[in-house]
Amino acid sequence: MDTARSTIYNLFRGEPSTYTRFSLAQHMEGDNSQVEMKLSNSEMDDEVGNSMGGHRDPRIMKPKHSPKNICFMIVCTLLIFLIGFLIGYLSYRGRMPTREQGCSNADSVSCGTTEELLSEDDSDTTLEAAQPVLEWKQLKELLKNKFLVSSFESRIRAFSANHEAGSEGDQRLALTVYNEFKRCGLHSVWNDEHYVKLQSLGSTPNRVTLLASGTNETIENPKGYLAYSAAGQATGKLVYANYGREEDFKMLKSMNISVNGSVVIVRGGQISFAAKVANAQKVKAAAVLIYLDPADYNMPENTDVFGHVHLGTGDPYTPGFPSFNHTQFPPAQSSGLPSIPAQTITTNSARRLLSKMTGQLAPSEWKGTLSPPYNLGNDDNVQVEVEVNNVVAEKMIHNVFGVIKGLTDPEHYVVIGAQRDSWGPGAAKSAVGTSLLVEMAKALSDLVVKDGYKPRRSIVFASWSAGDFGSVGATEWLEGYLSVLHLKAFAYINLDAAVLGSQTFKASASPMLYTLLGNTLKEVSSPLDSSKTLYQKLGADSWEKQTIVPMTMDDASYAFQAFSGIPSVSFSFTNDGDTYPYFGTKEDNLSNLNSRTGNRIDDIARAAANVAGQMVLRLTHDHQLSLDFDRYNGELYSSVLKINRFAKQLKKAGLTIKWLSSARGDFDRATETLKNDILNSDLNDAEMCRAINERIMRVEYHFLSPYVSPKDTPFRHIFYGSGPHTLKSLIENLNLLNGNTLDLDMDVLRNQLALATWTIQGAANALSGDIWDIDNEF
């Protein structure tokens, strides 16, 4: 040991085998001096000094080491290294969990080897990598199992009540939803207030009076009403106009039946009440009566009917503006408000009026199943007076929100919403959606809190008020955050009326959500046959043809899609060959809904919850957003193909579709560029992934025409909007080239063509990425 101690002492305290010599030399080539440092061996220095003939400085010579000492040095060095390694290993192993500990819950988490858990940079990523990560298959099963214990029917029963927007019942239900969100343990729960103008029955009853043969006969003092009808009286001869569609009024014109100044009676169905009244107003009708024909609606014939006739969404007295805090705006109203009275009547009242009508017999396809012969009327001796005394009142409504915050991109979120208010019980109209909303909040929150799901993006739950009046609550919220929502919200999932029957499945959606919806249907079992998925039940590869229906203005997701440019989807389980007949009536109750679903409300609602829930999980789980931006290529191609049929007529007018076709081509190339960028990107890189996703999520927004005002023309989407800026309006104008061109304003057509071209070009440019990546040479 003495020898070892001596050896170690000499190793650490002995003289160094080399020394440092600083040589200072002035370099004359420049003004600055440099320091030259040399590390040299003493023997080499001796040789250099001798060869130069210089004086050799005296120095102390080190003792030479024997082979025995060298062996001891090597052994001791190895011993010290081995002891240090053992101490470090034991200390590290004591801090790390064993594989048995780390994988004790292997059924719910994905466990890997040590090499899989540790990255090259242990100090930055070890803790994050060691976190349990739910695999997609496990995530689906966990969500499915949570819905298995949900009692949707009991929720629907509790939420089915008469709670008209702004009423005490509506406020109580809002508080219930708020407390449910709180109990779910969401990260944040809040509400916003809006002061909106809603219309209701006045103190003087509305009245429909028959004026015939010098006598006045009161047909009805209706208890139902049409919100936002013009108030006042109107009298005119009675004319039957089938469903009140544009083609129905064209048919009347072709039969030489004048609607000008008449009271039009139409049956419900096919299009919204608002569209019926707007069409009648275009042909200068004096008033409109709407009834439910037994051929379309199987319900008691004395049923009162409620609806609204604002051809738009939101508060029609603050168009384009949010109704926050009694904000004062210049006097304004939506262009979608009718200027003529409109009123619903019972089926019994309609029978009495139709029985008094004479004139030509209606076409066979116009006939319902009432006993009168369905004459078209137009008889000056049979006139009707319509008196509407509805009143407009400002009411406070509440939207209720909750959020599960994402971990990677919390500022980006999917919104799940449902209407809360209802004129009657609203079992299907509002109670189903509200029940699904609350149960989904509970299930998804449990996934995060109890099962360790870590969503990349946030999930916002929204309970809207005044949906019965035209998505008022939702639209006011969209208007309030118009400048930021398209940068934050990347999808909207509407839960309204998700359960209307059991036999089939229908959906209206942005093309960007078709692929996500189709993939989801492949994962969810049919509620009527658990051995098959919904995808298989809907015809597999032909599911889109069987499922997708047009998105209309009375769809609760329409404002998100056409006003805000947020990809949106609505869906419902329904029955083959019919529509749900009870909306807007007191017959929309749990009993009738049970009858429509074969007493399987829980099973159908559970399937609906799985459809919506799995779409939410996909949108918040994957690195890349599940939005299929390539789908709009097909939509653009179809529209440009229709326009191209008029190429010859346009050429004669000095116009061309060359630039429109070029813009479509640029959009196609931009989608290919983005797909290549995705393939060549590391989506595990948070910043790179975020940049890719932001390009994807804004595609829908850039199809909102930037050339029209959101105040005057709120639905700016060129595919789904309403107004002269849309591709539909452009094609309708082009159709006039084949007929009487006197009805065609070429300046309007030229403007439409140019603005459509540059809206599409703008969408292509935005999708391409940075401005230096854009080639605008046609």
Side-chain angles (χ1 to χ4, degrees), residues 98 121 160 242 528-529 610 665:
T98 65
D121 187 359
S160 295
N242 197 21
L528 300 183
D529 182 359
N610 275 295

Side-chain angles (χ1 to χ4, degrees), residues 601-661:
I601 287 180
D602 265 332
D603 293 336
I604 310 302
R606 191 169 290 115
N610 275 295
V611 170
Q614 288 200 30
M615 285 195 289
V616 170
L617 290 182
R618 269 298 180 204
L619 288 166
T620 58
H621 172 273
D622 297 349
H623 286 84
Q624 180 185 332
L625 278 174
S626 298
L627 300 176
D628 192 351
F629 53 88
D630 194 37
R631 281 299 190 112
Y632 265 115
N633 270 318
E635 300 294 320
L636 280 171
Y637 180 80
S638 176
S639 295
V640 173
L641 188 63
K642 292 177 183 176
I643 295 170
N644 190 53
R645 293 170 184 166
F646 301 95
K648 291 182 179 180
Q649 294 96 318
L650 287 170
K651 187 175 181 180
K652 291 178 181 178
L655 297 174
T656 178
I657 66 164
K658 174 182 177 181
W659 310 121
L660 181 65
S661 298

Side-chain angles (χ1 to χ4, degrees), residues 348-424:
N348 273 333
S349 296
R351 177 186 282 107
R352 292 171 62 187
L353 289 174
L354 290 171
S355 67
K356 301 290 185 180
M357 296 175 66
T358 60
Q360 299 181 52
L361 196 63
S364 58
E365 62 271 19
W366 285 28
K367 293 179 181 179
T369 56
L370 291 175
S371 54
Y374 290 86
N375 293 316
L376 296 177
N378 198 32
D379 185 352
D380 290 332
N381 294 321
V382 181
Q383 298 207 0
V384 170
E385 180 184 77
V386 179
E387 181 181 348
V388 174
N389 298 301
N390 300 345
V391 294
V392 175
E394 186 177 79
K395 295 185 179 181
M396 180 179 66
I397 62 171
H398 289 90
N399 295 326
V400 181
F401 302 92
V403 65
I404 295 173
K405 294 181 180 178
L407 297 183
T408 305
D409 295 316
E411 72 278 11
H412 294 156
Y413 41 83
V414 54
V415 183
I416 316 167
Q419 171 184 328
R420 187 182 64 249
D421 66 295
S422 176
W423 184 73

Side-chain angles (χ1 to χ4, degrees), residues 522 535-546 631:
K522 293 177 182 178
Y535 181 78
Q536 292 169 325
K537 290 285 287 184
L538 293 168
D541 292 342
S542 63
W543 78 270
E544 284 186 29
K545 184 178 179 180
Q546 302 296 326
R631 281 299 190 112

Side-chain angles (χ1 to χ4, degrees), residues 251-506:
M251 174 67 79
L252 289 173
K253 183 178 180 180
S254 69
M255 300 172 71
N256 296 317
I257 295 178
S258 174
V259 179
N260 190 354
S262 66
V263 173
V264 174
I265 181 170
V266 299
R267 53 177 171 163
Q270 299 292 318
I271 59 175
S272 69
F273 290 172
K276 295 175 190 293
V277 176
N279 290 337
Q281 183 173 305
K282 286 179 184 177
V283 293
K284 300 181 179 179
V288 179
L289 296 175
I290 302 175
Y291 78 100
L292 305 183
D293 197 289
D296 307 295
Y297 300 88
N298 182 19
M299 66 175 66
E301 293 190 353
N302 61 347
T303 301
D304 295 304
V305 183
F306 164 84
H308 78 87
V309 289
H310 173 214
L311 193 64
T313 65
D315 183 348
Y317 297 98
T318 57
F321 301 105
S323 300
F324 281 126
N325 304 322
H326 295 286
T327 307
Q328 298 299 307
F329 297 106
Q333 67 178 42
S334 167
S335 59
L337 279 177
S339 59
I340 60 176
Q343 176 64 54
T344 54
I345 57 176
T346 66
T347 305
N348 273 333
S349 296
R351 177 186 282 107
R352 292 171 62 187
L353 289 174
L354 290 171
S355 67
K356 301 290 185 180
M357 296 175 66
T358 60
Q360 299 181 52
L361 196 63
S364 58
E365 62 271 19
W366 285 28
K367 293 179 181 179
T369 56
L370 291 175
S371 54
Y374 290 86
N375 293 316
L376 296 177
N378 198 32
D379 185 352
D380 290 332
N381 294 321
V382 181
Q383 298 207 0
V384 170
E385 180 184 77
V386 179
E387 181 181 348
V388 174
N389 298 301
N390 300 345
V391 294
V392 175
E394 186 177 79
K395 295 185 179 181
M396 180 179 66
I397 62 171
H398 289 90
N399 295 326
V400 181
F401 302 92
V403 65
I404 295 173
K405 294 181 180 178
L407 297 183
T408 305
D409 295 316
E411 72 278 11
H412 294 156
Y413 41 83
V414 54
V415 183
I416 316 167
Q419 171 184 328
R420 187 182 64 249
D421 66 295
S422 176
W423 184 73
K429 186 70 180 288
S430 63
V432 164
T434 303
S435 301
L436 288 170
L437 184 70
V438 170
E439 288 296 331
M440 286 183 64
K442 182 177 184 298
L444 291 169
S445 180
D446 279 355
L447 277 180
V448 173
V449 175
K450 297 179 181 179
D451 301 305
Y453 174 50
K454 296 172 176 58
R456 299 182 186 279
R457 304 166 197 93
S458 298
I459 307 168
V460 173
F461 304 90
S463 174
W464 313 113
S465 184
D468 259 0
F469 289 81
S471 301
V472 172
T475 303
E476 296 308 308
W477 184 70
L478 292 172
E479 289 176 343
Y481 302 99
L482 178 63
S483 60
V484 297
L485 275 180
H486 69 282
L487 303 174
K488 306 284 187 178
F490 53 82
Y492 178 67
I493 299 174
N494 174 45
L495 300 177
D496 291 351
V499 178
L500 304 176
S502 61
Q503 298 170 356
T504 190
F505 181 90
K506 298 293 181 182

Side-chain angles (χ1 to χ4, degrees), residues 171-188:
Q171 301 300 330
R172 284 194 299 269
L173 187 52
L175 183 59
T176 298
V177 173
Y178 182 93
N179 290 332
E180 289 284 356
F181 283 173
K182 281 285 189 182
R183 277 192 285 271
C184 289
L186 302 182
H187 289 132
S188 182

